Amino acid sequence: MTSHASTAADPVALCARPGADLPAAVHTVHRALVSDGRVGVDEGPTVARRLVRLAERYGNHPFTPLEEARRMLDVDRASFGRLLGLFGRVPELRHAVENGPAGKYWQNTLLPLERRGVFDAALAHKPAFPYVVGLYPGPSCMFRCHFCVRVTGARYDPSALESGNAMFASVIDEIPAGNPYAMYFSGGLEPLTNPGLGALSSRAAARGLRPTVYTNSFALTERTLDRQPGVWDLHAVRTSLYGLNDEEYEETTGKRAAFGRVRANLRRFQQLRSERESPIRLGLSYIVLPGRVHRLLDLVDFIADLNEAAPDRPVDFLNVREDYSGREDGRLFEAERAELQEGLLAFEEAVSRRTPTLNIDYGYALHSLKTGADAELLRIRPGTMRRSAHPQVSVQVDLLGDVYLYREAGFPDLTGADRYVAGRVGPGTSLTEVVERFVDDGRLIAPHAGDEYFMDGFDQVVAARLNQLEADVVAGWEDARGFLR
Ligand code: SF4
């Protein structure tokens, strides 16, 4: 059992999925445990059933504290400890968790951060250089998206650009070697409104970093690229789409004829990167609104059209997310779920026909939905926000050098966001020092109602994981904390 590789047909590897053949999975685990003598024949079926239930639990609900799992199985601590040990001896069970409906949490975030010991530093309240640093270089934004948390019209004074870009350069120089994805450009406001973005990108690339810029691409014109050739040194340009025609764009961003311009920019970008044989990647992100899943087919048309501009360099990736935010508890109605599932199938069929090389990331919730399960929805509230935040995991730095603890807090003049500034990077103060001071001084931030909106999806995952790990340690399960590592 421990030696043979999992196959798609392996009932154990699939046991966390809806509709899994649980008796077959239990039988297979039982046989394996008994055959290598770890478990007696009599207790075998019970132990195997419990192990499969653990895989099911953590493949669907990764943030379950161990004590809760123990109570679910109704076993004493000694038996539970033994079960945890046995679980680790059956790789197919681990595979089932990592590939279960909530597998994206494990694969994309939890396990990579575990491997680098990032959670350990946060749990121990030890300073560590943030695993990921977001630089928010944009002094302004040409759009006024109705959902954007930024105060309408808020911007940074252009006089902040020079010192701000020098400060960003110093932060880039501070980033430790070893993690090429340790830094990205985003906002806050629109990164391409900073005329120094290209120079910063080149500096980052020269240090072996592979930054992505998150942009609306309204300013991604040939002129910008001529003036800022360093933009070509980015690893990827990820464009947030706000619609698929001018009307939709205007409704969302308040800007007329914006879609046409973004499309023209992206088409030209496609041609230029093909001519230059630039390795830079081009991707899009798109949010599916409830009831509008059919628009995904128009999105395929849009991408196919961009691909025609450079048939040898098709668009590389697409991030699709859903927006449940209008729902009371974040859950979709049954009819919406069915519609979304059908829509995703039709979308995948169209993609495989027209844009077959497109790499699609569905994120946590849509990935679960595609497997037929209800997504584990994270609901971090002020009561479960961590007063010490998690600067060892990630921080965001704006043009003034302010170090924000959460990704949606880094907008100028955003009410209450200043409480989430850990300190300021500037001449004489490095990012390392800001984080060290924040952590060593034991600074705690008491959350106010609504502060959870300063956190994005990533921040929520990190907070949920740290809360879970802390609960495991407090309950005496330090060695097994977090279930998988
Ligand atoms: S969401 Fe982005 S593009 Fe829209 S107004 Fe806010 S910063 Fe600008």
Side-chain angles (χ1 to χ4, degrees):
M1 184 76 187
T2 48
S3 55
H4 77 79
S6 308
T7 64
D10 186 330
V12 183
L14 295 175
C15 74
R17 303 247 181 126
D21 185 350
L22 294 178
V26 169
H27 179 72
T28 310
V29 172
H30 169 221
R31 240 189 12 221
L33 292 173
V34 172
S35 73
D36 70 5
R38 290 180 196 284
V39 169
V41 179
D42 293 351
E43 58 168 352
T46 308
V47 170
R49 204 162 32 244
R50 286 173 176 158
L51 293 177
V52 168
R53 280 195 75 192
L54 277 178
E56 224 188 328
R57 178 75 205 176
Y58 282 94
N60 285 278
H61 304 282
F63 304 100
T64 305
L66 288 169
E67 270 301 290
E68 197 179 315
R70 185 180 73 79
R71 283 196 298 271
M72 175 192 85
L73 296 180
D74 196 20
V75 294
D76 62 25
R77 289 180 66 94
S79 312
F80 189 62
R82 179 168 173 246
L83 285 171
L84 294 175
L86 289 169
F87 193 95
R89 304 212 158 259
V90 185
E92 288 80 358
L93 286 168
R94 184 183 175 104
H95 183 92
V97 173
E98 290 181 21
N99 294 283
K104 288 275 164 194
Y105 285 119
W106 290 109
Q107 290 183 26
N108 291 4
T109 312
L110 304 181
L111 295 174
L113 290 175
E114 286 285 6
R115 276 195 285 275
R116 297 214 172 223
V118 178
F119 292 128
D120 290 320
L123 276 181
H125 299 289
K126 280 197 187 131
F129 195 86
Y131 176 69
V132 196
V133 180
L135 300 186
Y136 287 6
S140 61
C141 182
M142 60 294 278
F143 288 171
R144 297 273 180 276
C145 299
H146 58 73
F147 55 81
C148 181
V149 297
R150 90 186 236 246
V151 182
T152 302
R155 55 193 297 143
Y156 295 91
D157 195 291
S159 65
L161 276 170
E162 198 182 325
S163 58
N165 286 343
M167 177 275 306
F168 285 135
S170 75
V171 171
I172 288 170
D173 293 348
E174 260 188 89
I175 295 174
N179 175 13
Y181 301 103
M183 193 275 280
Y184 63 95
F185 295 105
S186 184
L189 305 177
E190 165 54 41
L192 278 171
T193 60
N194 185 323
L197 182 72
L200 293 170
S201 305
S202 299
R203 192 174 190 111
R207 293 217 55 233
L209 295 163
R210 308 180 84 185
T212 292
V213 65
Y214 296 71
T215 170
N216 60 35
S217 285
F218 189 81
L220 189 72
T221 57
E222 191 163 358
R223 190 146 166 255
T224 302
L225 292 165
D226 284 345
R227 284 186 179 172
Q228 297 205 56
V231 167
W232 291 109
D233 287 332
L234 287 162
H235 172 63
V237 172
R238 177 169 144 173
T239 302
S240 306
L241 290 178
Y242 297 109
L244 290 164
N245 56 44
D246 279 335
E247 294 69 44
E248 283 180 356
Y249 254 73
E250 188 168 346
E251 224 173 82
T252 302
T253 69
K255 192 127 186 128
R256 295 188 65 183
F259 173 74
R261 172 153 162 180
V262 169
R263 181 175 57 188
N265 287 350
L266 294 176
R267 285 186 66 106
R268 187 66 190 133
F269 185 83
Q270 284 281 78
Q271 291 165 347
L272 291 171
R273 77 166 177 158
S274 167
E275 283 164 19
R276 301 170 67 105
E277 298 183 8
S278 163
I280 193 168
R281 290 163 57 80
L282 180 65
L284 306 168
S285 64
Y286 185 79
I287 295 177
V288 180
L289 297 172
R292 296 178 66 178
V293 65
H294 61 279
R295 297 293 278 141
L296 283 175
L297 296 178
D298 301 307
L299 178 61
V300 179
D301 287 342
F302 174 67
I303 296 170
D305 174 71
L306 292 182
N307 290 352
E308 272 170 29
D312 60 321
R313 288 302 304 279
V315 173
D316 297 282
F317 63 93
L318 170 69
N319 287 57
V320 192
R321 299 291 183 266
E322 87 317 304
D323 182 6
Y324 294 101
S325 57
R327 299 289 172 272
E328 179 58 17
D329 61 354
R331 288 192 189 283
L332 289 174
F333 300 121
E334 199 46 50
E336 286 176 330
R337 270 169 62 96
E339 190 192 28
L340 203 43
Q341 273 168 339
E342 266 171 42
L344 288 174
L345 271 180
F347 168 65
E348 288 198 321
E349 190 276 320
V351 166
S352 64
R353 224 171 358 95
R354 307 200 47 211
T355 58
T357 56
L358 187 70
N359 195 312
I360 305 171
D361 179 334
Y362 289 98
Y364 309 118
L366 281 177
H367 175 79
S368 297
L369 189 85
K370 261 164 43 77
T371 67
D374 244 334
E376 155 107 76
L377 292 168
L378 285 173
R379 299 266 122 189
I380 298 291
R381 301 280 187 217
T384 45
M385 281 176 78
R386 298 179 59 78
R387 288 148 51 104
S388 51
H390 48 244
Q392 300 90 341
V393 185
S394 70
V395 295
Q396 294 64 229
V397 186
D398 79 354
L399 197 56
L400 302 177
D402 283 336
V403 177
Y404 286 89
L405 295 162
Y406 294 127
R407 292 185 171 185
E408 300 286 343
F411 288 81
D413 304 334
L414 183 60
T415 311
D418 53 340
R419 288 185 302 112
Y420 291 94
V421 173
R424 183 173 276 192
V425 180
T429 312
S430 64
L431 177 56
T432 307
E433 285 162 339
V434 169
V435 173
E436 257 170 29
R437 255 175 240 164
F438 180 83
V439 176
D440 283 341
D441 291 354
R443 259 182 67 195
L444 299 175
I445 301 159
H448 294 176
D451 282 0
E452 65 271 32
Y453 296 111
F454 293 139
M455 309 175 88
D456 79 341
F458 175 83
D459 289 324
Q460 299 221 12
V461 171
V462 172
R465 179 67 171 178
L466 287 169
N467 288 342
Q468 169 195 27
L469 299 180
E470 213 157 65
D472 289 348
V473 172
V474 167
W477 293 110
E478 180 144 17
D479 288 351
R481 105 249 177 316
F483 193 67
L484 291 191
R485 274 187 244 180

